[in-house]
Amino acid sequence: MQDDKVVASSPPQDTSLGKTHSRATVAAHRSFAKDVILICTVTLAMILNIGNSAAVVIALPTMGKDLNIVQEKLQWIISAYSLSSVNLYSRKYTFIIGCAFMGAFGLGCGFAQDEITLFVLRGIQGIGAAACIPAALGILAATFPPSPMRSVAFATFAAGAPVGAAIGAAIGGVLTQLTKQTWRSTFWFLAAMSAACCLGALVSIDNDFTSDIVDRRVDWIGAFLVTAGLTFIIFVLSDGSVAPNGWKTGYIIALIILGVFLLALFVFWEHYLEQLRNRDVAPPTKWWNPAPIMSVTVWTRANGKLAVVLGIAFVEWCSFQAFTFWIQLYFQDYSGLNPILTMVRILPMCVAGVVCNMIVALVVGRIPAVYLIVIGTLLTGVGNLLFAVINPSATYWAFGFPAAIVSVAGTDFVYATGTLFVAKVCLRHEQSVGGALFQTLTQVGTAFGIAISTIVYNATLSKSAKQHGVQVNKSGTNAPRAAQLVAYRDAFWTGAAFGFVGELACAWAPFCARASRVGAIFALIFLRNVGIVGERKKKDVSSEPAENKVSSMDRS
């Protein structure tokens, strides 16, 4: 058993670290133009990923009317896309196949004629994001060694999120309102972007290093366990309040128990596979014992701080995606605005997001990451809070505009600094696994945040309507406006709570084991000693001992 102090400052040795000189040599022969094309390509993938959510979110009311989907079911159009994001393998061809998946099944979404078909196609489309986004993180980490260029590359990649939100909102609003095919045109436009992403990858991304992955088998058992478990839990959260007997309905109780059991079994199974491969004598190669899709020990990197960063990413996306989901419903369903006017009100979020990523690129190598994360998550909570106390008769500039400006800070600061942190503390062969964990938790956070806030919205709407003497129908269209306002406010209060939980998560780094009990102070407490994750000047990393790469960041 290793000493805890050693584990904190020295992750297990990467058996392929001897190859780093050859990697550095290969990277040195890449042209600057090829590096630029690579950064643009992976950033386009991020734009495409976020655009596939932003464009669909703004078209939700139109899609609901066209396909007769009640409001409580609309969240599944977003959640189905998010729940598929569990990465299996990585690098160049996984990236290309992932982009192709997003394009092909997005094209199919544009031809869907009913809600079930749309939900299924969105779920399969999400597999593309599960592949290409974590692969992009691994590609950046493998191509750019610790240097100012790496900070620029990761910040540019993260900037794809607000740019994707801008393009998605703009395209979603314009095409939904002005084209004959309405929301279907949005999917077709995004499919064309997927094709461009595939072409850029073929030109700019180097082939995988043969030492990266020896065992190419897929852990289908683990993939099934985690996907089924998450799907059952999110289904219960979204449908529990509207089931025939509410939360007491038999299948709701059965599915929540089954979902939790499958997730626990997934963790046990991944740990078993990892221990199996660490034995002195290699076990016989069978179809059921490949490399785990999630290394359990990777969560312990940097003395457990990696687990804290992943937890912060989860709650931050719960907060921000709940905000983006409800803000467009508030503008369109409550305020009666059309998609284009809604898009105009959301666009400041995108401009602010680009500015936030420029700030990250400038300061990430100069100030500790904890400050960026704390400020960002606090501002996302404030954005939700402004809508939680909104006065509908007030001008947009009083509540809507400042909320749009500050709400994006959390996701942009957390994504850029978080992915840099993952790249810094994970071993070389874990880069894509770490990126996959980060991406997966943000996507699951999206589904979880929307599901929880929908539960709050439905419960508040029903209760408030009864106080006005109205029994709300299945679609909620007969609810009094006063009851709708209270329900919207409570949904935003839920998003604010998630944001403040994440903001309070970063400062007690030595006490990571107590995270579950002190979740409310997540950011100020657990990450106070993380330090600086970016680079100010180039260093000779090839001669730096592996055990020193994390300790400098983990020093008290």
Side-chain angles (χ1 to χ4, degrees):
M1 183 70 71
Q2 289 180 311
D3 183 83
D4 288 343
K5 186 176 181 180
V6 175
V7 173
S9 61
S10 177
Q13 293 296 310
D14 186 348
T15 58
S16 59
L17 283 175
K19 306 274 187 178
T20 52
H21 289 286
S22 62
R23 286 180 63 244
T25 302
V26 173
H29 288 296
R30 287 179 56 89
S31 67
F32 178 76
K34 195 172 183 179
D35 284 346
V36 171
I37 296 174
L38 186 151
I39 294 173
C40 291
T41 298
V42 296
T43 302
L44 180 60
M46 174 60 80
I47 292 172
L48 183 62
N49 178 43
I50 301 301
N52 265 299
S53 293
V56 172
V57 164
I58 206 167
L60 283 178
T62 305
M63 296 168 72
K65 295 174 184 176
D66 190 17
L67 300 179
N68 296 316
I69 306 174
V70 297
Q71 181 164 309
E72 65 211 30
K73 299 286 187 181
L74 286 176
Q75 59 161 308
W76 274 104
I77 301 175
I78 305 299
S79 297
Y81 181 79
S82 304
L83 287 174
S84 300
S85 293
V86 181
N87 183 261
L88 298 178
Y89 283 117
S90 58
R91 305 290 201 251
K92 180 176 181 177
Y93 292 106
T94 301
F95 179 87
I96 294 172
I97 292 171
C99 291
F101 250 67
M102 282 199 289
F105 288 95
L107 191 66
C109 288
F111 291 99
Q113 299 298 319
D114 58 79
E115 63 181 270
I116 299 299
T117 302
L118 183 59
F119 294 164
V120 171
L121 289 175
R122 282 286 284 175
I124 300 175
Q125 187 190 23
I127 296 174
C132 73
I133 300 303
L137 290 170
I139 289 166
L140 289 178
T143 304
F144 301 102
S147 63
M149 188 64 174
R150 171 182 272 202
S151 297
V152 171
F154 274 88
T156 304
F157 178 68
V163 173
I167 293 176
I171 295 301
V174 171
L175 295 182
T176 298
Q177 184 170 337
L178 299 183
T179 63
K180 182 178 180 181
Q181 292 78 17
T182 64
W183 58 270
R184 301 179 188 276
S185 304
T186 300
F187 284 109
W188 299 335
F189 177 85
L190 293 172
M193 289 181 61
S194 297
C197 211
C198 291
L199 290 175
L202 288 171
V203 171
S204 64
I205 300 176
D206 293 328
N207 290 326
D208 293 335
F209 297 101
T210 56
S211 62
D212 282 352
I213 301 174
V214 176
D215 189 349
R216 301 280 174 172
R217 291 172 298 157
V218 174
D219 178 17
W220 294 111
I221 295 177
F224 167 77
L225 291 174
V226 68
T227 303
L230 289 173
T231 301
F232 288 152
I233 289 175
I234 297 299
F235 173 80
V236 168
L237 291 175
S238 64
D239 281 34
S241 60
V242 296
N245 294 319
W247 294 100
K248 297 179 181 179
T249 306
Y251 70 81
I252 293 294
I253 297 173
L255 288 179
I256 189 64
I257 294 174
L258 182 59
V260 172
F261 173 75
L262 290 176
L263 288 183
L265 188 59
F266 167 73
V267 175
F268 171 81
W269 176 252
E270 298 305 295
H271 180 69
Y272 170 75
L273 290 181
E274 192 170 12
Q275 294 301 311
L276 196 65
R277 298 176 71 82
N278 289 336
R279 292 178 180 176
D280 294 334
V281 179
T285 300
K286 304 290 185 182
W287 70 268
W288 54 266
N289 64 352
I293 60 173
M294 183 194 77
S295 169
V296 177
T297 57
V298 76
W299 293 77
T300 66
R301 296 289 177 261
N303 200 25
K305 294 185 184 72
L306 178 59
V308 176
V309 169
L310 295 174
I312 291 171
F314 172 79
V315 294
E316 172 59 28
W317 259 253
C318 286
S319 176
F320 179 71
Q321 296 295 355
F323 177 82
T324 57
F325 180 81
W326 291 106
I327 191 175
Q328 60 82 26
L329 288 178
Y330 175 86
F331 282 138
Q332 293 190 61
D333 289 351
Y334 182 81
S335 300
L337 301 178
N338 60 42
I340 289 182
L341 291 178
T342 299
M343 174 267 294
V344 170
R345 283 160 175 76
I346 292 176
L347 277 180
M349 295 172 58
C350 313
V351 177
V354 173
V355 173
C356 285
N357 279 283
M358 293 173 62
I359 293 173
V360 171
L362 291 173
V363 306
V364 73
R366 293 176 169 80
I367 65 175
V370 63
Y371 297 132
L372 292 172
I373 295 175
V374 168
I375 293 171
T377 50
L378 175 63
L379 291 176
T380 299
V382 170
N384 277 278
L385 188 61
L386 285 169
F387 267 84
V389 298
I390 193 170
N391 178 1
S393 62
T395 176
Y396 165 76
W397 304 102
F399 292 93
F401 180 74
I405 293 295
V406 302
S407 64
V408 298
T411 50
D412 292 316
F413 286 0
V414 169
Y415 201 97
T417 56
T419 50
L420 278 169
F421 183 77
V422 168
K424 194 164 188 176
V425 303
C426 287
L427 302 177
R428 180 169 64 85
H429 68 278
E430 295 174 341
Q431 293 293 330
S432 289
V433 174
L437 283 174
F438 193 94
Q439 171 70 9
T440 296
L441 285 172
T442 60
Q443 297 291 71
V444 174
T446 296
F448 190 82
I450 293 175
I452 294 296
S453 58
T454 299
I455 291 173
V456 173
Y457 175 87
N458 290 336
T460 302
L461 185 67
S462 178
K463 181 179 178 181
S464 298
K466 286 181 179 178
Q467 293 175 352
H468 290 81
V470 177
Q471 183 68 37
V472 179
N473 60 25
K474 187 175 181 179
S475 61
T477 54
N478 66 330
R481 284 181 59 80
Q484 292 180 41
L485 179 60
V486 174
Y488 278 115
R489 284 175 171 170
D490 281 1
F492 284 112
W493 275 114
T494 305
F498 279 123
F500 294 136
V501 163
E503 181 267 330
L504 290 170
C506 287
W508 284 359
F511 306 108
C512 289
R514 303 179 189 174
S516 60
R517 288 178 285 162
V518 212
I521 310 184
F522 229 43
L524 287 172
I525 296 187
F526 290 101
L527 299 181
R528 67 182 183 189
N529 297 324
V530 160
I532 297 171
V533 298
E535 299 288 338
R536 297 183 63 177
K537 59 181 180 180
K538 293 183 178 180
K539 299 178 181 179
D540 184 12
V541 296
S542 62
S543 60
E544 183 182 2
E547 60 268 22
N548 292 335
K549 293 183 179 180
V550 179
S551 58
S552 62
M553 185 175 45
D554 208 23
R555 215 171 277 142
S556 298

